[in-house]
Amino acid sequence: MPASRSFDEKRARIAALAEAAPAQAAAELRRFVADRNGYLVGEAAAIAGRLGLRELVPDLVGAFPRLLEEPLKSDKGCSGKNRIVEALLAFDAHEPDTYLAGLRHVQLEPAFGQPIDTAAGLRGLCAHALFHVGHREALLEVAPLLVDREPVTRAEAAAALGNSGLDAAAAALHVKALAGDPEPDVLGACYRGLLRLLPARYLGFVARVLQQGDDEGNDGAAEAAALALGESRLPEALPILQAELAGAARASRLRDSVLLGMALLRTDAANDALVALVEEGAEVHAVAALSALALHRHDEPLVERLRKAVKGRRSKKLAAVFAEKIDGG
């Protein structure tokens, strides 16, 4: 690879290697992974992952610590480090030292106002990686990220714990959920994890968050709980969401989240309840239910039921929502 190649030329060559023969691609990508520019290293790592070039794992692992040195010069924005970890995950590479290094990395970069930590996503990605490879201390390493300064990291740590399959991870998620978080996305990840790990134990807890959030005006937590109940796909979640509809009527955002939660259940019973609202509910509820059902706009039999229901209502508003979100979706 001539040293005189410009950045754009190198980038173009890396992209072209996606169509090259594996042997040729591996040889050239190995040189690009050794580049001093973290962005180009990341592009090369992505192509290596796409082509399944497992023989480059040692090169990727070797490049990672280099990008941790003077990272504002070598890998601004953490793009190279993120792509390396993504490629290692694609290879199911058991490289816990790399993942631990990423988990502990903080990269503050200048910005307007306060510096931005561009390693927030990397820490979250490495949290997933440690569980993915079954690292024996993954729970001990990841749980502290639930109080990370960055909401992206907290949310991804919660998601990694929720996907871990470990009952002990539920304890950490429960404590975090009780302590609260200003970001609904973080709370939502906690609720989803609890319902995935120990649904029988925590269904009532998440239901109480939904109910109490409406009563106490904590709409962010309540909305997150409604969506988590829907994403759980638990049949027992439907009556909980239905019972909340009357109370949520005074808060349109919460009502919309409850209805979307029902649509996320993806069951005939939930869809029937939503169609009934479109057919017979007050117009404001019918519009919200129809919007939620846009999630299933590729389900032709359901769309035909909705078309018939909207036509029978003779509501211009319902017709407009159907045309925009379902017919034209």
Side-chain angles (χ1 to χ4, degrees):
M1 181 172 60
S4 59
R5 275 189 181 180
S6 69
F7 173 86
D8 288 338
E9 288 172 331
K10 290 179 180 180
R11 185 180 179 187
R13 182 56 188 162
I14 292 171
L17 288 171
E19 307 298 329
Q24 179 186 355
E28 290 198 50
L29 288 172
R30 180 171 283 115
R31 293 195 291 270
F32 282 117
V33 168
D35 198 278
R36 291 178 297 176
N37 186 298
Y39 181 85
L40 294 174
V41 173
E43 292 289 288
I47 298 298
R50 192 182 310 168
L51 296 178
L53 300 175
R54 280 192 60 86
E55 61 266 40
L56 293 185
V57 166
D59 301 273
L60 296 170
V61 171
F64 195 86
R66 190 177 73 247
L67 299 184
L68 292 174
E69 299 172 6
E70 297 188 273
L72 298 190
K73 294 180 180 179
S74 64
D75 189 28
K76 188 175 182 180
C78 281
S79 61
K81 293 185 287 292
N82 278 310
R83 292 287 187 87
I84 286 174
V85 174
E86 288 168 356
L88 292 175
L89 279 170
F91 296 138
D92 288 323
H94 192 276
E95 299 293 340
D97 289 344
T98 298
Y99 307 142
L100 286 168
L103 188 85
R104 296 164 183 164
H105 183 59
V106 174
Q107 187 164 318
L108 297 177
E109 300 191 14
F112 293 107
Q114 294 296 319
I116 295 174
D117 183 359
T118 60
L122 175 66
R123 293 196 295 279
L125 183 61
C126 289
H128 286 281
L130 285 173
F131 282 117
H132 182 74
V133 300
H135 184 56
R136 63 186 180 85
E137 294 186 350
L139 179 58
L140 299 177
E141 294 287 348
V142 173
L145 293 184
L146 292 173
V147 293
D148 193 274
R149 288 177 54 184
E150 298 297 326
V152 169
T153 307
R154 298 196 302 273
E156 288 303 320
L161 289 163
N163 290 328
S164 69
L166 301 174
D167 288 358
L173 292 174
H174 190 190
V175 170
K176 176 59 181 174
L178 289 170
D181 195 283
E183 295 292 332
D185 286 348
V186 177
L187 293 174
C190 289
Y191 303 148
R192 288 192 298 274
L194 290 171
L195 294 174
R196 183 178 297 113
L197 291 168
L198 295 171
R201 183 181 182 92
Y202 289 110
L203 181 63
F205 169 73
V206 178
R208 286 191 296 276
V209 172
L210 174 60
Q211 295 154 2
Q212 293 168 4
D214 190 25
D215 294 339
E216 299 170 7
N218 189 1
D219 286 352
E223 290 168 30
L227 297 177
L229 286 165
E231 290 176 274
S232 75
R233 308 287 292 272
L234 295 169
E236 300 87 348
L238 179 57
I240 295 170
L241 292 166
Q242 287 179 300
E244 189 58 24
L245 271 180
R250 61 180 179 272
S252 61
R253 284 179 56 190
L254 181 53
R255 178 202 62 217
D256 293 350
S257 295
V258 169
L259 291 168
L260 181 55
M262 291 170 63
L264 285 167
L265 285 170
R266 299 179 184 274
T267 65
D268 290 341
N271 289 344
D272 288 345
L274 290 168
V275 171
L277 279 175
V278 175
E279 292 173 336
E280 303 171 358
E283 186 178 64
V284 65
H285 294 149
V287 167
L290 189 59
S291 297
L293 284 166
L295 182 69
H296 305 300
R297 59 186 175 275
H298 301 301
D299 182 338
E300 294 184 9
L302 181 58
V303 168
E304 285 306 309
R305 290 177 65 191
L306 292 173
R307 192 188 310 279
K308 183 179 179 180
V310 168
K311 186 176 180 180
R313 291 295 297 262
R314 298 182 182 277
S315 163
K316 291 183 179 179
K317 189 166 188 178
L318 275 173
V321 171
F322 180 81
E324 177 187 353
K325 296 189 176 182
I326 298 178
D327 247 4

